Amino acid sequence: MTLSQDPRTRRRRLGVAAAAAGLLAALLTTAPASATPDPGDSPAAGQRVSQSEAAEVRGAIADGEIPGQDEIVHSANIEHLTNVPKDALPGYNTDLAFQGRYAYAGNYDGFRIFDISNPKAPRTVAQVLCPGSQNDVSVSGNLLFLSTDSSRSDNSCASTTQPATEKSSWEGMKIFDISDKANPKYVAAVETACGSHTHTLVPERRDVYIYVSSYSPSATFPDCQPPHDGISVIKVPRKAPEKAAVVGFPVLFPGEGPDGGGNPGAPTNPGVSKTTGCHDLTVLPSKDLAAGACMGDGILFSIKDPEHPKVIDRVQDNVNFAFWHSATFNQRADKVVFTDELGGGGAATCNAAIGPDRGADGIYDITGRGDHRKLVFRSYYKIPRYQADTENCVAHNGSLIPVKGRDLMVQAWYQGGISVWDFTDSAHPHEIAYFERGPLTTDTLQVAGSWSAYYYNGYIYSNDISKGFDVLKLHDRRTDSARRVHLPELNVQTQPEYFD
């Protein structure tokens, strides 16, 4: 079905029952405890919705206003090539990285390596069992990096969950040698304060720097003490990765008091997360720039000296943004797209109760030069289809589509599916393609859907939390030229220079 024919863009009732039940009030007055659910080693149980909400979901399906349970729908310009279901790793699927003909897919239970030389038939090369939330993954040369953001009994892949209140508990970065793709070898581990929720590579010739994002300290956590107002910087010698170590903890939010100088959150700013660290950072090495999504704050900073990043500008949105989740530069580095993960990724926020400006993307222009550059808000973007109250849906991970002279992006929205959109005019973004599945269930809100959707060498790859690994292809004159751009490696949070 084409976008113009999609009846769901005209629906305005979905979510009304949720508002009546108090969901909207709860989302507006409380900050998410974490950016994504952390079920430990196994998926969390679903939350049963009210009878009226379940009836509304079934009615919307019967009326053809949303897809049927698990039904796949998409715009005419996207082709779904294949799906590879989860196999030996039953946990939530998470982030993706790419290198040559390989895709690396994170999972709460470890990671999986696919041979994608034939995108229509990806082949599993290896599955590595190494439990630890959320196993954010990236690659550089012969090294693979894996984030651990759940308190473990030790740094091995045989560890078990253990309270963060115990000093012996471990969280941080794991490093693997992937010279032999079929047999990755675990070579090093580096403990970091408050663990590693996500990480970002700043690759240099001799070394790799890793910016580690983590948050939510507590006076009761020996290895995660407040104020946790910065990021951990790890230096990894390429020729001796076993010598990887933390080389600094730059403070990004200086301030007096036990909480540092970030957004104070509630009660000062109701519904906004208190800033106690960063969720995700994106770097643009060719421009020595980085953008940080840091809970209650968005920041722009210089990475000319990778061990000592310098904040250039900082913005807040205390009206519509609850949790600054991730950031993406456009190709000219004169815009940044920030995402708001309202509800922590586990709530139904793509409905009439929440509206178009919350749980959305915020598009900011970068004005000025050098250390005087500023982030200037232009608009919000949110998918134009309402989702059911049993579908967790909110802005999540995406990447640029390399089309010269245009700002195009593909993005995951959990059970909202995958959206391809144009923000060339930063004040008037619009969708040009989409792919989604219908609700996983009609009576229970379960965490599912696309965690990450990235464009790599002519195809869109999506790691669906519950359904597995999807491959899609765009057929659109606006994106056709991107097929000529081929990269040897892609870690989306380390943005490449697509064009000179």
Side-chain angles (χ1 to χ4, degrees):
M1 100 181 24
T2 65
L3 287 170
S4 60
Q5 294 170 334
D6 185 356
R8 290 167 293 129
T9 61
R10 300 192 297 271
R11 184 172 175 83
R12 294 296 179 266
R13 289 194 297 116
L14 279 170
V16 174
L23 171 62
L24 178 60
L27 288 171
L28 294 178
T29 58
T30 61
S34 62
T36 53
D38 181 358
D41 299 334
S42 59
Q47 176 184 345
R48 186 167 291 276
V49 299
S50 68
Q51 291 184 358
S52 61
E53 290 170 321
E56 184 177 309
V57 174
R58 292 191 294 270
I61 292 174
D63 292 343
E65 293 165 334
I66 63 172
Q69 186 172 342
D70 256 359
E71 178 189 1
I72 290 177
V73 297
H74 54 82
S75 54
N77 53 356
I78 276 189
E79 179 184 3
H80 185 213
L81 298 181
T82 192
N83 169 265
V84 182
K86 290 193 291 186
D87 188 9
L89 305 175
Y92 289 167
N93 280 338
T94 59
D95 211 1
L96 294 168
F98 305 90
Q99 189 180 67
R101 62 187 177 97
Y102 297 99
Y104 302 82
N107 179 286
Y108 271 62
D109 287 325
F111 64 91
R112 188 173 183 178
I113 303 176
F114 292 99
D115 182 334
I116 55 172
S117 53
N118 179 3
K120 294 182 179 180
R123 180 176 60 86
T124 298
V125 176
Q127 297 190 73
V128 177
L129 179 65
C130 195
S133 165
Q134 55 188 13
N135 280 339
D136 192 37
V137 62
S138 59
V139 291
S140 183
N142 289 325
L143 299 177
L144 179 145
F145 305 94
L146 201 67
S147 285
T148 299
D149 192 34
S150 58
S151 187
R152 313 295 299 178
S153 57
D154 56 53
N155 64 10
S156 75
C157 285
S159 66
T160 57
T161 58
Q162 181 170 290
T165 52
E166 295 188 23
K167 176 62 180 173
S168 63
S169 295
W170 184 91
E171 299 180 64
M173 290 297 308
K174 298 186 178 90
I175 303 172
F176 291 78
D177 184 321
I178 52 171
S179 302
D180 181 355
K181 303 294 187 291
N183 296 286
K185 295 180 180 179
Y186 185 12
V187 296
V190 181
E191 187 171 16
T192 54
C194 301
S196 174
H197 193 72
T198 66
H199 68 269
T200 302
L201 303 188
V202 186
E204 302 286 342
R205 182 170 298 178
R206 295 179 56 186
D207 307 304
V208 179
Y209 286 95
I210 307 175
Y211 288 169
V212 176
S213 298
S214 55
Y215 52 92
S216 293
S218 169
T220 65
F221 298 163
D223 300 319
C224 183
Q225 292 282 302
H228 185 71
D229 48 11
I231 57 174
S232 297
V233 179
I234 297 174
K235 183 178 181 180
V236 185
R238 288 188 186 276
K239 294 184 178 181
E242 69 278 2
K243 296 181 180 180
V246 174
V247 294
F249 187 85
V251 173
L252 303 178
F253 302 97
E256 299 295 330
D259 298 325
N263 196 317
T268 303
N269 297 316
V272 178
S273 291
K274 176 181 176 181
T275 298
T276 59
C278 290
H279 179 278
D280 211 342
L281 308 175
T282 292
V283 299
L284 194 56
S286 63
K287 299 287 195 300
D288 290 327
L289 271 182
C294 302
M295 303 180 74
D297 294 88
I299 59 173
L300 182 70
F301 56 103
S302 167
I303 56 170
K304 287 182 180 179
D305 180 350
E307 291 189 24
H308 303 94
K310 177 183 178 182
V311 175
I312 296 172
D313 195 26
R314 168 184 165 194
V315 290
Q316 297 178 354
D317 180 346
N318 294 321
V319 176
N320 287 315
F321 257 50
F323 190 99
W324 296 67
H325 176 275
S326 54
T328 303
F329 287 102
N330 70 335
Q331 294 168 41
R332 295 179 58 188
D334 58 7
K335 298 173 191 171
V336 181
V337 174
F338 288 104
T339 67
D340 172 23
E341 197 181 42
L342 174 68
T349 68
C350 296
N351 53 31
I354 302 303
D357 295 339
R358 295 182 60 79
D361 296 316
I363 305 165
Y364 286 74
D365 286 351
I366 301 174
T367 62
R369 295 183 178 181
D371 290 348
H372 300 288
R373 282 172 283 194
K374 296 291 183 183
L375 293 165
V376 180
F377 173 77
R378 293 302 185 204
S379 66
Y380 298 108
Y381 170 76
K382 194 169 183 180
I383 55 173
R385 290 166 303 286
Y386 286 149
Q387 306 296 309
D389 292 328
T390 58
E391 294 181 280
N392 61 306
C393 174
V394 75
H396 214 238
N397 294 351
S399 75
L400 293 184
I401 298 176
V403 174
K404 199 166 188 176
R406 306 291 297 179
D407 294 325
L408 303 176
M409 185 173 177
V410 59
Q411 186 176 2
W413 289 79
Y414 288 120
Q415 288 197 70
I418 296 165
S419 178
V420 180
W421 58 289
D422 187 326
F423 63 104
T424 307
D425 179 350
S426 54
H428 301 94
H430 60 279
E431 185 174 75
I432 64 173
Y434 74 90
F435 168 92
E436 69 163 297
R437 291 180 170 91
L440 190 67
T441 72
T442 59
D443 58 4
T444 304
L445 176 59
Q446 295 186 10
V447 176
S450 179
W451 180 290
S452 299
Y454 299 146
Y455 186 93
Y456 177 69
N457 294 354
Y459 297 87
I460 292 172
Y461 297 91
S462 166
N463 214 18
D464 189 288
I465 292 169
S466 62
K467 294 299 180 182
F469 185 67
D470 287 305
V471 185
L472 302 99
K473 190 171 185 178
L474 277 166
H475 300 280
D476 193 296
R477 58 178 177 76
R478 293 165 291 189
T479 61
D480 283 348
S481 64
R483 298 179 191 175
R484 297 193 290 269
V485 178
H486 279 252
L487 301 174
E489 188 173 277
L490 178 63
N491 300 294
V492 168
Q493 287 73 35
T494 306
Q495 289 190 215
E497 181 83 1
Y498 287 108
F499 307 106
D500 295 331

